[in-house]
């Protein structure tokens, strides 16, 4: 999973509403096969917000596994 924390000059963060889980979250989603985290974040931002992102700054990374996969 890749997500993006998008912050404006007032230090507000952009969140998207997830209807399936009934909560707000950072834009993002699952990586497609062969896609890296930055590419996934950019494509998810475009899919969810119709916004094209030119560059991202990586601020962290966390690995986790579901069902031992």
């Amino acid at each position: 999973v890749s997500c993006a924390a998008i912050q404006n000059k007032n230090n507000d963060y952009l969140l998207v509403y997830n209807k399936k889980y009934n909560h707000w979250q950072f834009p993002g989603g699952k990586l497609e096969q062969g896609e890296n985290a930055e590419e996934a974040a950019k494509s998810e931002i475009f899919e969810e917000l119709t916004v094209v992102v030119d560059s991202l700054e990586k601020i962290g990374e966390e690995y986790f596994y579901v069902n031992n996969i």
Side-chain angles (χ1 to χ4, degrees), residues 9-67:
K9 63 182 178 183
N10 296 323
N11 295 325
D12 298 319
Y13 288 93
L14 176 66
L15 300 175
V16 294
Y17 186 72
N18 184 319
K19 292 179 186 177
K20 182 177 180 180
Y21 297 109
N22 193 33
H23 68 234
W24 293 91
Q25 63 188 34
F26 292 115
K30 296 178 184 175
L31 278 70
E32 301 293 331
Q33 187 171 347
E35 190 175 49
N36 66 38
E38 183 176 342
E39 293 167 335
K42 288 179 179 181
S43 65
E44 291 294 333
I45 291 167
F46 182 77
E47 289 173 14
E48 296 172 13
L49 305 168
T50 319
V51 173
V52 176
V53 175
D54 292 326
S55 64
L56 295 172
E57 177 184 347
K58 185 176 183 178
I59 59 172
E61 186 172 316
E62 182 70 33
Y63 292 94
F64 64 93
Y65 300 91
V66 177
N67 298 326

